[in-house]
Amino acid sequence: MKPFSIVLSLILSLAAMSLVVWVGRFGAPLPIAPKVDPATEAQKHILSVDDLPMPESGPFGKAELTELEFIFGVRNVGDEDKHVFTLKNIGDGVLKFKMGKPTCQCTVGEITSQNGEPLTKDGEAVKEGSIAPGESINILVKWVMKVQNDKFRQVVPVFTTDPDQRKIEFAIMGAIDQPLHLLPDGFWDFGDMSSTEPSVAQGYLSSKVLDSFTITEVPREDSKVKVTWEPADPLLLAQYQAKSGYLVKVSSSPDVPIGKFREPIQLKCQSGDTEMNVDFMVGGRRSGPIEVRGAVGATFNVESNRLFFGEFPASSGKKAKVNFIVRDLDGELELKSIEPADARIKFTVPETGKPFGKSKSYQVEVEIPPGNPAKHRNEDAEILNLKFNHPGAPEFKLAVDYHAT
Amino acid sequence: MIYTTVKWNVRSFALIISFSILFSGCKPSAVAPLKPPGNAAVPGKSADETNNSNPAALPTPESVLDSGPKTAVRPYLDGWDKPAIAFLLTGEQHGYLEPCGCSETQSGGMARRADLVRIVTQEKGWELVGLDVGGTLKRSRRQDQIKFEKLFEGFQKLHYSAVGVGLEELKLGADFILTRMPGSPEDLANSVALVSANVVLFDQPDLGWPLRYRLIEKSGLKIGVTSVFGPSLRDRVAPAGVNTNITLREPDEVLPDVIKSLEESKPDLMVLLCHGNEQEALNLAKAYPQFRIVLAAGGYDEPDGKPIPVGKSWVLNVGHKGKRVGILGFYPDNADQPFRFELIQLDKDRFKNHPEMRELMKQYQQQLQDEGIAVSEELLLKHSSGQTFVGAEKCGGCHTKAFAHWKETGHGVAFTTLKEGPWHENRAAEKIDWIQRQFDPECLSCHITGWHPQEMLRYESGYVDEKSSAHLLGQQCENCHGPGSTHVSREENSTNMDELLEGRQMVRRTLADAKKSMCIECHDSDNSPKFTPERFDEFWKQVAHPFKD
């Protein structure tokens, strides 16, 4: 190759590299390097035994543990606790160790001196070290019980150069409970409510941690819902592993309006000088003659009687199957007509319904046929009036929300 | 020979450009769709390893998030031979579509689960069947129904075949469960099925839903799957005395028949999903050894990942909140060791957010907005004080310095973060392709004012929407001090000192209150894992307002 060619090649190479660097600089976003806060850095731990290589030759250390698990029983939400595990080297060689990353930031492991003081070096917590034969270290595990959890288990791993125990997991286990526990928790659903008889639901308010408490008041404004309580059967409390508790009965009169019904309940309680409130919701549904209970291929909101098809290509259209539950009708359900008569949306009602308790279920096909784009969202949803042969519900209004693009 | 020389240089220039582009990277790597299996594979490598080993790949938004300081990346499925079939085992997700809590550092999430599925099915080329033991949700509101539907769409994409009916599914109600029933046998064949041997809806055992069992045929193998709801959870489904249209039969009444039906198909493996407590799972594994695998709910939230042997069977736990998933390999030709199991933590260091699941999350948020879930009456709650929320501007009328300071804090911009992404500098990368969450009650409850933060319910005078509740945006004074209507009204109208002092007392909170029980309502272990009692002072410094005006 001639000197000219070599020089030209070099110049072109440099130009190419510069161009690529320049394009790379402006042509694509640079990765944003996350700013790491000191706590995160301080909490860096090793994740695998690869970060603690074995010595090339023995004698090796051997780890002896007094316990691997600590069961703390039942504690209150918000409590903190700690426990000391001991790791002893009963081998002939030095045992090296490194702290691993705990399974949760609510749990911290620290190496401590025999008197319980955290060991530090240059102001940083000691995370690794060596244990001479016959010596031991203490590992202080602290944990915070932030939320209710029946099966709390967190682990602080420690990696070692014991060939038989390269990774040791110190586990903290137990249950974290609220002082007061409602059973069933959350929403109390009356389900299908009777039109003639009161609906009654009962459950328990109990405590696994309080020896005693009292329900002092249940403020009620709505007379349709009544709450009563009485001390719970001790045998039942024992079954729930509770120390104290009440049987709580909620009853609702049969004349709640047709449709969905919800009512908040607050149980005001006291234990010693401490006042506590337990809030929950009760509710149910008084069924009408025709109801929609869900859809496949679309979604249905019972509260707003609205069928959501979402966004789809206008050229392909969209279909859904909607479950109509029909009561108190002799014979089969028939769709007589739809208003407006020129509605784009088509309904196909099966000739026969499936038995569904004392009712019948009809899986009605609802189709938005292929056609022009149209947007019927929110307040512009298509409102359809379905006219059935049901004497108790000759008309059924349904909103259909969609965007055919 | 100038011509030749120039030609050589043009060639070398082109080559240099090509190699340089290849090694410096000019276009982001695309994430393969979950179905059908693709061929962009680096077998045996994790998502991160694949990324790192491919210098042509510029970071996607997700991998930018993952580019923080790293220690060793733990290998997984290390040294596994290709199984005849692999199972993705999950359960007790408790409503966590995304990583547990709103912190990216937390584990879990459907998007990372999807990345694992991609790696297993596409990079490793394994056949995969997903099974879930139930407990998908936390509550039973309309939002949970929507979440359930989206979750099933996700399951569908992630090769799931069966989901056990658990406590949370039953709480959705018999009629809602029935809406999940596919309309035809063809639809059913292509759908994720709800399965339970002992849950009967509407007193109709022949209703056909949930399925009593499912026979899965894949990779030339037949896998029989059924599920039972543990009697220990019976009291938790609904209060006594109500008609739920749900009947729970004893497992011992139903399992012999189910086993008989399954055995007629000569399955290669039978799996039981047990949604009860751990002891029930152990008892059933012992009583019905035909089930070589029992996937159990009711175990510890962070299980040790070790199979519990019961005879020749294994009882497996996968923990809570979808932070971990189990991969079970089935090797029918190895009579001595037919199974391998590994519990894999879905952490940000090893798994990317798969775009298909992010898209699902976007659709979920869109549906919450479309249905007006946050403004629905279903969420309404009366405040026990009987007072109403007035908004921080009102407070700032007198407490000028505290108000001015609050506006500069994270609390002051809490609502904006739902729309634009985290405000912290070190989480700026999350703002790229941010999925807005300002219509999601589960997010709103700690980012606006006047909601119950843990129950995610809206107090009557609390935030409704951005337009009508502009005075309640962000995490304001009254979320900690309580609604201020009485205090404000008395300060504005009363001259009676006793009344004024009483009003002030109503909104007085001590540092001890804050430390013990108030801050933790939002700074809980999921959403603020670094907030611990030891670090309270550090957090408090940012929002302290000891101003006397």
Side-chain angles (χ1 to χ4, degrees):
Chain A
M1 196 182 292
K2 290 182 178 176
F4 172 75
S5 299
I6 294 169
V7 171
L8 190 60
S9 297
L10 282 172
I11 291 169
L12 284 173
S13 302
L14 280 171
M17 297 296 274
S18 307
L19 180 67
V20 166
V21 167
W22 189 81
V23 167
R25 170 68 182 82
F26 297 104
L30 282 176
I32 301 165
K35 197 172 134 186
V36 180
D37 69 328
T40 308
E41 283 290 1
Q43 286 163 6
K44 270 169 62 179
H45 298 86
I46 70 166
L47 296 172
S48 109
V49 289
D50 298 339
D51 287 340
L52 183 65
M54 286 294 291
E56 285 181 4
S57 59
F60 302 118
K62 185 168 179 56
E64 185 188 63
L65 314 156
T66 49
E67 59 184 338
L68 268 177
E69 292 174 350
F70 175 69
I71 298 171
F72 59 79
V74 181
R75 299 292 300 270
N76 257 328
V77 170
D79 283 358
E80 302 166 43
D81 206 349
K82 56 189 175 184
H83 183 74
V84 175
F85 293 93
T86 302
L87 170 60
K88 186 175 183 183
N89 179 8
I90 56 167
D92 297 327
V94 168
L95 182 73
K96 288 186 177 175
F97 68 90
K98 272 190 177 184
M99 301 291 287
K101 185 181 178 185
T103 45
C104 169
Q105 297 199 44
C106 59
T107 304
V108 177
E110 292 175 348
I111 312 293
T112 66
S113 63
Q114 294 300 325
N115 64 10
E117 289 297 315
L119 293 184
T120 56
K121 188 178 178 186
D122 302 328
E124 291 275 325
V126 171
K127 296 282 183 192
E128 60 184 289
S130 302
I131 311 172
E135 297 293 313
S136 60
I137 57 162
N138 285 340
I139 294 163
L140 173 69
V141 177
K142 298 189 283 190
W143 65 101
V144 187
M145 292 163 266
K146 280 187 172 183
V147 291
Q148 188 175 327
N149 186 343
D150 292 343
K151 300 287 274 184
F152 178 92
R153 180 181 182 274
Q154 299 297 341
V155 167
V156 174
V158 177
F159 297 90
T160 77
T161 52
D162 176 346
D164 298 324
Q165 296 185 86
R166 294 281 278 144
K167 185 182 181 186
I168 296 165
E169 292 190 330
F170 293 107
I172 302 296
M173 299 150 84
I176 307 167
D177 205 3
Q178 299 283 358
L180 297 176
H181 195 82
L182 190 68
L183 181 80
D185 57 356
F187 178 56
W188 283 22
D189 192 350
F190 284 113
D192 277 324
M193 298 170 72
S194 165
S195 302
T196 53
E197 301 289 326
S199 298
V200 180
Q202 63 181 45
Y204 292 88
L205 181 69
S206 62
S207 178
K208 290 180 179 174
V209 289
L210 299 174
D211 290 327
S212 69
F213 73 95
T214 49
I215 299 177
T216 53
E217 186 192 358
V218 182
R220 300 291 327 125
E221 287 173 14
D222 185 343
S223 61
K224 288 186 172 50
V225 176
K226 290 188 167 33
V227 181
T228 59
W229 61 96
E230 59 189 73
D233 181 343
L235 285 175
L236 253 165
L237 290 178
Q239 185 187 322
Y240 297 137
Q241 296 156 358
K243 292 180 175 177
S244 52
Y246 289 87
L247 170 69
V248 177
K249 287 185 187 175
V250 181
S251 62
S252 174
S253 65
D255 57 341
V256 293
I258 285 179
K260 268 195 161 183
F261 138 85
R262 278 177 187 260
E263 185 73 23
I265 306 278
Q266 184 175 69
L267 306 175
K268 288 183 176 286
C269 304
Q270 188 153 12
S271 176
D273 294 334
T274 308
E275 291 179 357
M276 293 161 283
N277 294 339
V278 175
D279 292 288
F280 66 108
M281 196 75 83
V282 298
R285 179 182 45 248
R286 255 196 74 200
S287 302
I290 297 181
E291 279 188 303
V292 172
R293 301 268 184 93
V296 176
T299 60
F300 185 78
N301 188 317
V302 178
E303 288 190 31
S304 55
N305 234 31
R306 186 174 285 244
L307 187 62
F308 293 88
F309 277 90
E311 199 173 292
F312 58 89
S315 57
S316 55
K318 195 167 181 184
K319 283 182 187 174
K321 287 178 178 168
V322 183
N323 290 306
F324 279 67
I325 308 297
V326 181
R327 288 178 187 79
D328 307 326
L329 176 67
D330 296 328
E332 300 292 344
L333 184 72
E334 286 174 36
L335 179 61
K336 297 289 192 188
S337 62
I338 302 172
E339 285 181 357
D342 59 349
R344 176 178 178 175
I345 303 165
K346 308 292 177 204
F347 289 76
T348 310
V349 181
E351 288 180 3
T352 54
K354 287 182 184 169
F356 187 78
K358 292 175 183 170
S359 318
K360 276 189 176 175
S361 162
Y362 292 83
Q363 201 165 61
V364 176
E365 186 176 279
V366 184
E367 183 186 8
I368 303 173
N372 293 329
K375 188 173 183 179
H376 294 278
R377 305 300 300 265
N378 305 317
E379 59 270 21
D380 294 326
E382 278 201 45
I383 309 295
L384 302 171
N385 198 355
L386 309 180
K387 301 207 168 185
F388 288 111
N389 63 334
H390 197 307
E395 294 186 357
F396 185 90
K397 276 196 177 165
L398 180 72
V400 183
D401 189 304
Y402 67 94
H403 185 189
T405 57
Chain B
M1 304 300 286
I2 293 287
Y3 171 76
T4 313
T5 310
V6 168
K7 200 165 70 177
W8 184 89
N9 279 305
V10 166
R11 219 180 283 151
S12 61
F13 180 75
L15 268 173
I16 289 162
I17 289 280
S18 305
F19 277 106
S20 303
I21 288 173
L22 195 65
F23 285 105
S24 64
C26 274
K27 57 182 178 184
S29 63
V31 178
L34 291 163
K35 282 183 178 178
N39 53 9
V42 184
K45 295 268 185 175
S46 74
D48 276 2
E49 286 172 322
T50 309
N51 249 359
N52 296 342
S53 65
N54 177 6
L58 264 191
T60 59
E62 291 76 21
S63 61
V64 171
L65 295 184
D66 292 349
S67 64
K70 285 180 189 170
T71 51
V73 173
R74 284 168 292 172
Y76 55 93
L77 305 176
D78 202 20
W80 282 39
D81 292 330
K82 182 179 178 179
I85 197 163
F87 296 89
L88 173 73
L89 303 179
T90 58
E92 295 186 275
Q93 195 166 335
H94 295 166
Y96 290 85
L97 290 178
E98 293 193 296
C100 150
C102 50
S103 166
E104 269 287 328
T105 58
Q106 302 281 66
S107 298
M110 291 295 283
R112 289 184 194 148
R113 190 184 299 185
D115 196 36
L116 172 64
V117 168
R118 180 189 63 80
I119 290 162
V120 170
T121 58
Q122 295 179 25
E123 294 190 5
K124 291 184 180 293
W126 296 359
E127 289 290 344
L128 190 70
V129 171
L131 302 174
D132 189 283
V133 72
T136 47
L137 303 168
K138 192 170 183 180
R139 299 182 178 81
S140 55
R141 300 174 189 158
R142 176 60 192 151
Q143 174 165 11
D144 301 280
Q145 293 181 349
I146 295 171
K147 194 181 275 187
F148 191 72
E149 287 163 349
K150 288 296 167 201
L151 203 52
F152 260 65
E153 283 183 41
F155 285 166
Q156 190 75 42
K157 291 174 190 287
L158 299 185
H159 304 257
Y160 277 79
S161 280
V163 176
V165 178
L167 178 64
E168 291 74 11
E169 286 76 22
L170 287 180
K171 283 190 165 194
L172 290 174
D175 36 6
F176 181 80
I177 294 174
L178 204 58
T179 66
R180 301 305 310 166
M181 185 175 181
S184 67
E186 295 74 36
D187 289 346
L188 175 60
N190 297 315
S191 304
V192 185
L194 275 173
V195 176
S196 183
N198 67 333
V199 169
V200 177
L201 305 180
F202 300 100
D203 287 328
Q204 295 182 52
D206 299 326
L207 194 61
W209 197 255
L211 297 184
R212 288 169 62 230
Y213 59 85
R214 182 158 221 189
L215 189 72
I216 302 158
E217 296 188 47
K218 202 164 186 178
S219 299
L221 296 171
K222 290 180 182 171
I223 315 295
V225 179
T226 190
S227 166
V228 290
F229 185 84
S232 65
L233 300 178
R234 191 184 297 267
D235 292 346
R236 294 177 62 185
V237 176
V242 304
N243 176 21
T244 57
N245 289 319
I246 294 169
T247 309
L248 299 170
R249 300 178 66 186
E250 288 297 321
D252 289 335
E253 273 179 46
V254 295
L255 281 178
D257 272 355
V258 166
I259 290 169
K260 194 177 165 196
S261 302
L262 278 171
E263 282 179 338
E264 282 170 8
S265 305
K266 300 193 185 320
D268 297 282
L269 175 67
M270 282 163 59
V271 178
L272 175 66
L273 312 174
C274 177
H275 194 101
N277 63 32
E278 207 166 10
Q279 192 56 49
E280 285 170 329
L282 294 171
N283 293 345
L284 289 170
K286 191 174 176 185
Y288 302 99
Q290 297 92 333
F291 296 109
R292 295 292 302 275
I293 296 295
V294 177
L295 176 60
Y300 284 104
D301 56 346
E302 307 271 359
D304 60 13
K306 292 173 188 157
I308 304 168
V310 178
K312 284 187 172 180
S313 303
W314 276 4
V315 175
L316 305 172
N317 284 291
V318 292
H320 302 178
K321 301 180 185 174
K323 291 159 84 172
R324 292 170 174 77
V325 298
I327 295 286
L328 176 79
F330 180 40
Y331 304 86
D333 296 334
N334 185 342
D336 295 334
Q337 288 186 310
F339 302 114
R340 285 192 79 161
F341 178 70
E342 184 171 338
L343 193 60
I344 298 173
Q345 184 173 348
L346 297 175
D347 55 59
K348 73 179 179 66
D349 293 325
R350 298 186 294 178
F351 300 100
K352 293 196 293 186
N353 289 320
H354 197 286
E356 279 193 51
M357 291 297 127
R358 297 221 356 122
E359 181 54 34
L360 204 65
M361 183 68 190
K362 267 186 202 168
Q363 292 170 9
Y364 166 67
Q365 291 295 333
Q366 183 63 48
Q367 196 168 339
L368 296 181
Q369 178 183 359
D370 289 348
E371 292 202 29
I373 296 300
V375 303
S376 76
E377 288 189 5
E378 185 185 21
L379 303 183
L380 263 187
L381 184 67
K382 287 174 186 162
H383 199 279
S384 58
S385 68
Q387 297 187 50
T388 54
F389 292 89
V390 296
E393 289 266 356
K394 233 4 175 185
C395 310
C398 297
H399 304 281
T400 54
K401 289 179 186 168
F403 179 64
H405 176 59
W406 166 79
K407 285 202 285 189
E408 303 300 321
T409 65
H411 284 173
V413 295
F415 179 78
T416 314
T417 63
L418 295 182
K419 292 181 78 174
E420 297 174 5
W423 69 294
H424 309 83
E425 276 178 41
N426 61 350
R427 293 179 63 189
E430 289 175 49
K431 290 189 172 188
I432 302 165
D433 198 26
W434 175 251
I435 299 170
Q436 295 194 331
R437 288 155 168 84
Q438 70 269 30
F439 303 100
D440 185 343
E442 292 179 355
C443 302
L444 276 170
S445 64
C446 278
H447 288 253
I448 44 73
T449 300
W451 281 49
H452 191 300
Q454 286 291 323
E455 291 299 324
M456 293 144 187
L457 295 172
R458 190 177 80 242
Y459 290 119
E460 282 177 333
S461 61
Y463 172 90
V464 179
D465 58 46
E466 195 175 355
K467 197 173 169 186
S468 61
S469 314
H471 62 300
L472 295 173
L473 297 175
Q475 175 71 242
Q476 300 183 359
C477 326
E478 292 170 287
N479 279 347
C480 301
H481 290 272
S485 56
T486 302
H487 168 54
V488 169
S489 156
R490 289 183 184 181
E491 294 295 331
E492 287 178 348
N493 305 312
S494 177
T495 53
N496 181 319
M497 188 49 75
D498 288 342
E499 276 188 7
L500 288 171
L501 288 175
E502 188 189 46
R504 289 171 195 173
Q505 190 61 31
M506 285 176 187
V507 291
R508 185 170 180 271
R509 299 290 182 270
T510 65
L511 193 57
D513 292 336
K515 199 168 187 173
K516 187 172 189 313
S517 57
M518 284 163 50
C519 305
I520 202 172
E521 290 280 303
C522 286
H523 290 276
D524 60 21
S525 50
D526 286 348
N527 299 294
S528 187
K530 292 176 188 168
F531 182 83
T532 60
E534 284 180 340
R535 297 187 67 194
F536 175 84
D537 293 342
E538 193 182 321
F539 277 76
W540 178 249
K541 259 184 220 165
Q542 298 177 46
V543 296
H545 42 284
F547 314 108
K548 303 286 184 192
D549 66 339

